[in-house]
Amino acid sequence: MKITRQICIWTLAACLLPVMLKAQNASFNNFNAKGEQVTKFSKLGDAVDAHDGEVAYFNGTYYLYGTSYGCGFEWGHKDAPFCGFKVYSSKNMVTWTDRGALFNASTAVWQTRCNGNTYGCFRPHVIYNAKTRLYVLWINVYDNRVGYRVFTSKTPVGPFIEKAEPKLSLNTEMPVAGLNNGDHDTFVDDDGTAYLAFTDWRAGGAIAIEQLSDDYLTGTGKIVKAVTVTKTEAPALFKRKGVYYVVYSDPNCGYCSGTGSSYKTAKSPLGPWSEGIRISDNSCGGQPSFVSTIKLKGGDVFLYGSDLWNNAAKNESLANYYWAPLTFAADGSINPIECQNTVAVPNTPGKKENHNYAPGCDINNGLKRTQTFIANKSGILSAVSVSMFKAAYPDADLHLEIADAANEKILATITLASGKLSWSPGNVAVNTKVRVVAGKKYTISLTSAAKKGATG
């Protein structure tokens, strides 16, 4: 049986170079022609594994910050490890470079704070403080009372160093390690004043906004409560033409596929705020995550992001993204969101994202997926690289076979331990040392006897 199109494409993805388009903006894909989610890849051909964070823009470079799920983090699964936070960089939102972890999350301290035995740690947001010349990272945690931890770095890619635990005005008397304060956003105003917009779980999912200290590391006590009344979360705060906007999930809907996006406006971050206006009923199949202000020479762009959570699928490293600029009416109101398959990056001449691949995962119960190739010269095939991932805890290892296509004689069999495979699609190099002859056809096959779980 031939290998599925998904596996073929992921095997070749690292070798495909996007085509330069003259006199056109760079563009990226949210969905393919079938309406399926599109997996984004790094320059090395690994799937991008950064979720529930944001795209930020510093000094002409885009940075994607997010929670990693590739090591097997699963919300609510007590044995699941915490994978930490990752950052990717790009000049055009098409070609992404993996810049690694924001800090070392493998320590006992961070595993205790954030693994599957806890509520987890999420939502990395980074802002720059021009006074201190430091990048400031806020993350949402549930091991303390305030619900957040704060870090600084001299660069946007880290390493980020944890600072003193911040203080905020809400839920200061509530139990430690409870559902107190949740999903948040950080925002820096034109005068350098910073604010934290966050979810007040003790108020049933109301949005609050508190002004931060000059170093952006803690609250000041200047706060507006109940920007929304209840049953909302994931605020995104920004400013356009003197008006402040907060976009939020309406209603709150963790890990769901398709909840609403609404917004309110004000003349000050501390209000008073207007009534809410709905701009999407399903957030293009996900949950609203951020609105980032991208300051380009041609004008400001307000990039809306939605996490596509696949209906709370257990492997959230496969979750993808919806990204597109918001548009505004003449009176400043946000136009209803019209979901776009392909989005041009404003004022960015360059490349068009040329892959439209959706993940598939069905290698188990002896099913064999096979791809053929013709050797272009004689010699020793020292290694092959296959992009693969696992889901749902396979209970048997994966086997890779190389065979002569003419007579099906197996030339090599390599066992890949399922426990060492990532939950996020990535290239796995396998040493083979198989002699091949120029012009002959060979097969690469993947198979597993797993009765539960699968590999893709």
Side-chain angles (χ1 to χ4, degrees), residues 87 108 155 173 206 259 286-287 390 396 409-410 428 443:
V87 56
T155 76
E173 303 300 321
T259 188
Q287 180 187 26
K390 67 179 179 183
K409 179 181 179 181
I410 296 176
V428 177
T443 61

mmCIF file of all heavy atoms in Angstrom, residues 87 108 155 173 206 259 286-287 390 396 409-410 428 443:
data_model
loop_
_atom_site.group_PDB
_atom_site.id
_atom_site.type_symbol
_atom_site.label_atom_id
_atom_site.label_comp_id
_atom_site.label_asym_id
_atom_site.label_seq_id
_atom_site.Cartn_x
_atom_site.Cartn_y
_atom_site.Cartn_z
ATOM 1 N N VAL A 87 9.692 29.713 21.192
ATOM 2 C CA VAL A 87 9.609 30.914 20.382
ATOM 3 C C VAL A 87 10.187 30.615 19.006
ATOM 4 O O VAL A 87 11.180 29.895 18.874
ATOM 5 C CB VAL A 87 10.336 32.105 21.045
ATOM 6 C CG1 VAL A 87 11.793 31.791 21.344
ATOM 7 C CG2 VAL A 87 10.235 33.358 20.169
ATOM 8 N N ALA A 108 12.776 20.146 38.135
ATOM 9 C CA ALA A 108 11.764 19.638 39.060
ATOM 10 C C ALA A 108 10.803 20.745 39.486
ATOM 11 O O ALA A 108 9.599 20.504 39.655
ATOM 12 C CB ALA A 108 12.445 19.022 40.281
ATOM 13 N N THR A 155 16.955 39.856 25.278
ATOM 14 C CA THR A 155 16.604 39.625 23.874
ATOM 15 C C THR A 155 15.189 39.064 23.794
ATOM 16 O O THR A 155 14.679 38.489 24.770
ATOM 17 C CB THR A 155 17.576 38.630 23.201
ATOM 18 O OG1 THR A 155 17.255 37.295 23.636
ATOM 19 C CG2 THR A 155 19.021 38.942 23.544
ATOM 20 N N GLU A 173 -7.200 37.300 48.466
ATOM 21 C CA GLU A 173 -7.518 36.505 49.655
ATOM 22 C C GLU A 173 -7.961 35.089 49.299
ATOM 23 O O GLU A 173 -8.361 34.325 50.184
ATOM 24 C CB GLU A 173 -8.625 37.202 50.476
ATOM 25 C CG GLU A 173 -8.295 38.621 50.897
ATOM 26 C CD GLU A 173 -7.043 38.676 51.759
ATOM 27 O OE1 GLU A 173 -6.854 37.772 52.599
ATOM 28 O OE2 GLU A 173 -6.261 39.641 51.591
ATOM 29 N N ALA A 206 -15.101 37.156 34.242
ATOM 30 C CA ALA A 206 -15.124 38.570 33.881
ATOM 31 C C ALA A 206 -13.721 39.005 33.459
ATOM 32 O O ALA A 206 -12.721 38.403 33.865
ATOM 33 C CB ALA A 206 -15.603 39.418 35.056
ATOM 34 N N THR A 259 -15.761 29.193 19.180
ATOM 35 C CA THR A 259 -16.515 30.030 20.099
ATOM 36 C C THR A 259 -16.470 31.450 19.560
ATOM 37 O O THR A 259 -15.686 31.764 18.668
ATOM 38 C CB THR A 259 -15.942 29.972 21.522
ATOM 39 O OG1 THR A 259 -16.820 30.648 22.419
ATOM 40 C CG2 THR A 259 -14.570 30.617 21.596
ATOM 41 N N GLY A 286 -11.968 28.284 15.967
ATOM 42 C CA GLY A 286 -11.125 28.175 17.151
ATOM 43 C C GLY A 286 -11.600 29.035 18.291
ATOM 44 O O GLY A 286 -12.800 29.258 18.482
ATOM 45 N N GLN A 287 -10.617 29.529 19.054
ATOM 46 C CA GLN A 287 -10.878 30.401 20.190
ATOM 47 C C GLN A 287 -9.936 31.594 20.089
ATOM 48 O O GLN A 287 -8.726 31.414 19.896
ATOM 49 C CB GLN A 287 -10.640 29.670 21.510
ATOM 50 C CG GLN A 287 -10.909 30.544 22.733
ATOM 51 C CD GLN A 287 -10.516 29.861 24.037
ATOM 52 O OE1 GLN A 287 -9.650 29.000 24.043
ATOM 53 N NE2 GLN A 287 -11.140 30.251 25.123
ATOM 54 N N LYS A 390 3.351 10.894 17.143
ATOM 55 C CA LYS A 390 2.487 9.877 17.734
ATOM 56 C C LYS A 390 1.292 10.535 18.400
ATOM 57 O O LYS A 390 1.298 11.747 18.665
ATOM 58 C CB LYS A 390 3.248 9.037 18.758
ATOM 59 C CG LYS A 390 3.679 9.817 20.000
ATOM 60 C CD LYS A 390 4.404 8.917 20.986
ATOM 61 C CE LYS A 390 4.856 9.710 22.212
ATOM 62 N NZ LYS A 390 5.630 8.876 23.153
ATOM 63 N N ALA A 396 2.953 -0.098 21.205
ATOM 64 C CA ALA A 396 3.959 -0.903 20.505
ATOM 65 C C ALA A 396 4.851 0.043 19.710
ATOM 66 O O ALA A 396 4.455 1.159 19.368
ATOM 67 C CB ALA A 396 3.313 -1.928 19.570
ATOM 68 N N LYS A 409 12.234 -7.816 -1.346
ATOM 69 C CA LYS A 409 13.222 -8.278 -0.376
ATOM 70 C C LYS A 409 13.553 -7.149 0.589
ATOM 71 O O LYS A 409 13.910 -6.039 0.187
ATOM 72 C CB LYS A 409 14.487 -8.727 -1.092
ATOM 73 C CG LYS A 409 15.579 -9.204 -0.134
ATOM 74 C CD LYS A 409 16.834 -9.609 -0.890
ATOM 75 C CE LYS A 409 17.924 -10.053 0.082
ATOM 76 N NZ LYS A 409 19.181 -10.442 -0.631
ATOM 77 N N ILE A 410 13.424 -7.447 1.883
ATOM 78 C CA ILE A 410 13.698 -6.447 2.911
ATOM 79 C C ILE A 410 15.207 -6.309 3.081
ATOM 80 O O ILE A 410 15.909 -7.290 3.356
ATOM 81 C CB ILE A 410 13.030 -6.820 4.239
ATOM 82 C CG1 ILE A 410 11.499 -6.825 4.066
ATOM 83 C CG2 ILE A 410 13.433 -5.844 5.340
ATOM 84 C CD1 ILE A 410 10.744 -7.285 5.290
ATOM 85 N N VAL A 428 12.661 12.724 11.883
ATOM 86 C CA VAL A 428 13.417 11.717 12.618
ATOM 87 C C VAL A 428 14.399 11.080 11.640
ATOM 88 O O VAL A 428 13.995 10.471 10.646
ATOM 89 C CB VAL A 428 12.490 10.647 13.222
ATOM 90 C CG1 VAL A 428 13.312 9.567 13.921
ATOM 91 C CG2 VAL A 428 11.501 11.280 14.191
ATOM 92 N N THR A 443 11.552 0.828 -1.596
ATOM 93 C CA THR A 443 10.426 1.280 -0.783
ATOM 94 C C THR A 443 10.892 1.559 0.646
ATOM 95 O O THR A 443 11.796 0.904 1.168
ATOM 96 C CB THR A 443 9.298 0.230 -0.726
ATOM 97 O OG1 THR A 443 9.789 -0.974 -0.129
ATOM 98 C CG2 THR A 443 8.766 -0.063 -2.123
#
